[in-house]
Amino acid sequence: MSEVKEIKQTKMMCRISGVLSEKALELKSGELKGDNGKTIPCEIIQGTISVETDNGVFPLRVYCASKTKKDGGKENVMFKGIKTIMDSYISKVDAAKDDSLTADKINCNVKVSINDYVANDGSVKTSVQLSLNSARRATGDFESVTDVDMDGYIRSIKPEIKGDDEETGRLMVEFVTIGYGGKAEPYTLYVPEELADDFEDIYEPSQTVEMYCSLVMRHIGEKKTSTAKFGRKANVSSGYDVMEMIVVGAEDPYEEPDDDEIESKVIDKKTIKKLMEERSLMLEELPKQKKEKDKDKKSTKTDKGLGRKNKVVEEEDETDDDYDIF
């Protein structure tokens, strides 16, 4: 529990619109632990869908249970929509197998969060995770979109350095948001060269700001073409894709309101310092927790009967977001 005053989640809204590239979803039997401590049997859809946009292909994590943890297991209004995507939406992979099909263009409401995990070498890694909240088939005029609208605290602004201490012209902004449970979630935002001077004139560390960003998949490495004595040459991609959050605009920094009855959106330096300290302690504990979890898995005995019991007990953080009903 943080010793600083409790603060709410900061605004984090994301929309991705593009062509449904691929579906990798599966339906499982599982269970949740309800708020009352009782086990709730349910169905769970999990996996990923990939959406192709002008800024690259974005994999969106999918995890949706048919029940909720509240009120003894109410019907989850999201589940029907995710099941519709799984059963009837057409991806580019589906269309490639059947010429009569056309891949669906979809508008997705996306949850953006920080994913901290322990790599195989034991090191702690952090990445930006995109999860599907809801999606609808696009109708009428269609525009490729990868936009993020987020509130947060500017912790630092510095030039991007590449190679032999050479500046690229871009700025790197450490931008701290407040996620579920009052946890600090730091993101790296990139200010393009053409906006860098104006950005530094207007913004500085310790300000709370509403930022507008565009998600971009940037390929690291080169595409090479191999030679062949027969048939066509094969295009071979080397390297990997990295997702960047590119600043496209921002509002004036938030200021403390004159009216005491109006809730302030300003995040103070003391609060961020404390939350980042808590985050550092949490990251230090991750390798230990993983070792204990792996040890428990090895010591778990197989249930009697044929094979094993299929039990999915992963739980999603519940927020106050409004979800679309498909």
Side-chain angles (χ1 to χ4, degrees), residues 224-265:
K224 299 180 180 180
T225 303
S226 63
T227 58
K229 291 184 179 180
F230 174 78
R232 67 175 180 83
K233 296 180 179 180
N235 293 321
V236 180
S237 295
S238 62
Y240 52 93
D241 289 333
V242 174
M243 186 175 72
E244 294 185 341
M245 303 181 78
I246 308 298
V247 175
V248 296
E251 298 292 347
D252 289 333
Y254 289 118
E255 296 181 357
E256 293 288 357
D258 295 331
D259 189 344
D260 291 338
E261 294 182 1
I262 299 176
E263 186 176 9
S264 173
K265 292 188 176 182

Side-chain angles (χ1 to χ4, degrees), residues 6-63:
E6 182 180 354
I7 56 176
K8 294 183 178 181
Q9 283 183 256
T10 50
K11 177 170 64 175
M12 174 68 81
M13 301 171 63
C14 177
R15 177 187 167 197
I16 294 180
S17 299
V19 179
L20 180 58
S21 178
E22 186 176 3
K23 297 183 297 181
L25 302 173
E26 59 179 340
L27 178 66
K28 292 184 175 183
S29 296
E31 57 187 35
L32 296 173
K33 186 175 182 180
D35 289 343
N36 57 7
K38 295 183 179 180
T39 298
I40 303 171
C42 63
E43 292 183 310
I44 295 172
I45 297 175
Q46 64 182 47
T48 60
I49 66 169
S50 296
V51 183
E52 183 177 318
T53 73
D54 293 344
N55 289 339
V57 178
F58 293 85
L60 307 181
R61 179 177 178 266
V62 176
Y63 182 90

